[in-house]
Amino acid sequence: MTTPTTTGPQPRDLRDFYENPAVPVASGTPRSLRQARMLARALSGPAAASPQTILDIGCGDGTAAATAAPLLPGHRVIGVDWSQDALRRARTRIPYAVRGELTGGGLPFASGAADAVLFSEVVEHLVDPDAALDEIRRILRPGGHLMLSTPNLAAWYNRGLLLAGVQPVFSEVSLRGIHGRPGKEVVGHLRLYTARALREFVAASGFTVERLEGAPFHGVPRPLRPLDRLACARPQLASILLLHARRT
C-alpha cells in the first residue's frame, strides 16, 4: 500500500524536499534530552570551566537545541541549518541560528572554532557523509566533542521485519510516499547505520569514539514502547543510536 504524505507539487530535488514545511525537522524530545545529558557529562571537567561554543548542525526548528540549552548553562548554543524555513522557526526558540552548509562552501566558522557539535538525525539524510564529517572535524578544536544521533538499521523490530520480508523502519525508497514499510511520514533518509558501522565510520573520519548509547523512537506503537525502552540498554538493538566521539 502506498501512503503519500506530501501535497501540492512534488519535490524536484532534496533541497525542495527539505524546504517543504510539512517535512518533519525535529527529533523527539526524549532522545534530545539523552543526547544533551551525554554532552553535559562530557563538558563537566575542569577544561570546560569557561564558556564553550556548541554548534547544533542541522538544527531544524531549534527544538533539540532549546531542549539541550537548560542542561548546558553558561555555554553558547548556536543552531546551524541551510533551510531558510527551518531557520525561521529555530530563531523563535534559540537566540542564535545561522545559515550554513556542510558541503560546497563549508560552514561559516573558522577551523577549531567549536568546542562541541550536536549532529542530531542528520547523517542519515546526507549524500556525502564523509565530506560532512571532514567539515565537522575542521571546525572542532582538537579534543572537541561530537554528539551524533541516527536511527539504527538493526533496531530490534527491524530484525523481525527483514525476516518477514518487510522494508525496515527508517529506510525509504521514495520522496513521494511510503512503500513496503510501516510508518506514515516520508522524511528523506538516504543512509542507515548499524551500531558497528557507525562506530567504524566515525573512527575512520578522525574521531575517537568515547561512548555509544541507545534511545527510544517516538513512532513505536504505544503497546510496544516499554520494550523499546528496554532495548536501549543494548545499543545494538535500540531504535536510535547516540554516539559521543572526540576529535583526534
Side-chain angles (χ1 to χ4, degrees):
M1 178 178 178
T2 300
T3 308
T5 60
T6 56
T7 58
Q10 295 294 338
R12 294 189 300 274
D13 55 32
L14 282 173
R15 287 181 179 272
D16 287 344
F17 179 81
Y18 288 116
E19 287 289 1
N20 181 352
V23 174
V25 293
S27 302
T29 298
R31 60 185 179 273
S32 295
L33 279 171
R34 287 181 183 230
Q35 191 174 43
R37 291 186 186 112
M38 287 175 71
L39 181 55
R41 290 196 299 268
L43 295 179
S44 62
S50 59
Q52 306 283 290
T53 297
I54 301 163
L55 305 181
D56 182 5
I57 297 176
C59 67
D61 64 6
T63 299
T67 299
L71 300 177
L72 303 166
H75 302 308
R76 182 171 65 159
V77 180
I78 302 172
V80 184
D81 209 294
W82 63 260
S83 167
Q84 296 288 9
D85 178 73
L87 288 171
R88 280 192 293 271
R89 286 182 275 172
R91 288 173 182 139
T92 67
R93 294 182 171 92
I94 54 179
Y96 307 104
V98 301
R99 192 176 189 279
E101 298 191 44
L102 283 163
T103 55
L107 295 167
F109 302 97
S111 297
D115 299 290
V117 163
L118 289 169
F119 202 42
S120 306
E121 328 279 307
V122 177
V123 70
E124 64 271 14
H125 298 271
L126 300 179
V127 173
D128 190 352
D130 302 280
L133 284 199
D134 287 346
E135 180 63 1
I136 289 174
R137 189 174 186 278
R138 180 189 70 80
I139 57 96
L140 273 174
R141 63 167 172 79
H145 304 276
L146 169 63
M147 315 301 294
L148 185 156
S149 66
T150 191
N152 182 9
L153 174 60
W156 59 276
Y157 40 81
N158 277 346
R159 298 179 185 223
L161 290 173
L162 277 170
L163 284 173
V166 178
Q167 187 81 9
V169 175
F170 309 124
S171 66
E172 295 186 327
V173 299
S174 171
L175 295 180
R176 298 180 180 178
I178 301 298
H179 301 283
R181 71 160 173 85
K184 298 179 180 179
E185 294 180 332
V186 177
V187 293
H189 289 175
L190 303 180
R191 300 180 183 276
L192 289 175
Y193 300 80
T194 64
R196 178 177 176 177
L198 186 64
R199 279 181 175 273
E200 291 183 5
F201 168 59
V202 172
S205 300
F207 294 84
T208 299
V209 176
E210 299 281 338
R211 188 175 181 85
L212 184 69
E213 295 185 7
F217 174 49
H218 66 274
V220 170
R222 189 175 297 276
L224 298 177
R225 289 180 187 175
L227 184 58
D228 193 41
R229 288 192 292 270
L230 283 174
C232 293
R234 294 193 63 189
Q236 300 91 334
L237 299 175
S239 287
I240 306 294
L241 301 171
L242 304 179
L243 180 140
H244 171 210
R246 300 193 72 166
R247 181 194 185 279
T248 52

